[in-house]
Amino acid sequence: MEIRRARNCFDHRKVELKLTGFELQDDGSVLSPTIEMNFAGSVITRQDLRTYLSTVMNGLLRVIEVMLPYLASKHIQPMGMIVPQVREVPEEKRRRKMVQFGIWLPFGEGGHYSQ
């Protein structure tokens, strides 16, 4: 919701969102661009813009990473009496380190992960 409200502030040029460029400080140092917002219950304390955008990007990537397997699991078709599921593969059972999800089948103790 915070991202949506920040976008709204950008689109409508609301004063509740303050985006600053590089600022020269009294001691001669240069402060990098910052973002600050207090709008409709969403608060972004003044922080480095690069750090904020990096955090937002990581959050969006995680949402997509979890949403795709969720949608796949909702549309997987049963194979007769066997109902496969999309599940997160436990790290000790992963064949490939970077593959996080797999098709789980209820075979044997703990099931079988098709990766």
Side-chain angles (χ1 to χ4, degrees):
M1 197 56 130
E2 176 184 288
I3 297 169
R4 191 171 160 196
R5 289 185 177 142
R7 183 199 54 83
N8 186 37
C9 286
F10 274 120
D11 288 349
H12 300 288
R13 300 187 187 273
K14 297 197 178 281
V15 295
E16 290 87 352
L17 179 89
K18 295 179 184 117
L19 190 62
T20 61
F22 292 97
E23 289 181 6
L24 183 61
Q25 301 297 302
D26 293 336
D27 64 356
S29 64
V30 178
L31 184 65
S32 61
T34 61
I35 186 169
E36 181 179 9
M37 181 182 78
N38 188 353
F39 176 70
S42 290
V43 177
I44 301 172
T45 57
R46 187 173 184 186
Q47 59 185 291
D48 181 55
L49 181 61
R50 185 178 198 174
T51 304
Y52 175 73
L53 292 176
S54 176
T55 303
V56 167
M57 191 64 138
N58 288 337
L60 291 174
L61 289 173
R62 182 65 185 150
V63 166
I64 291 168
E65 189 178 57
V66 173
M67 184 174 29
L68 292 177
Y70 170 77
L71 291 172
S73 70
K74 291 297 179 187
H75 292 86
I76 198 165
Q77 299 297 314
M79 299 183 299
M81 298 293 290
I82 300 169
V83 182
Q85 299 174 2
V86 176
R87 288 190 179 179
E88 187 171 358
V89 181
E91 287 194 38
E92 65 274 2
K93 292 187 177 185
R94 291 182 189 172
R95 284 192 217 148
R96 293 172 188 86
K97 182 179 156 186
M98 301 302 289
V99 178
Q100 187 176 357
F101 294 91
I103 305 292
W104 179 82
L105 300 166
F107 297 139
E109 190 174 323
H112 169 74
Y113 290 93
S114 178
Q115 302 174 50

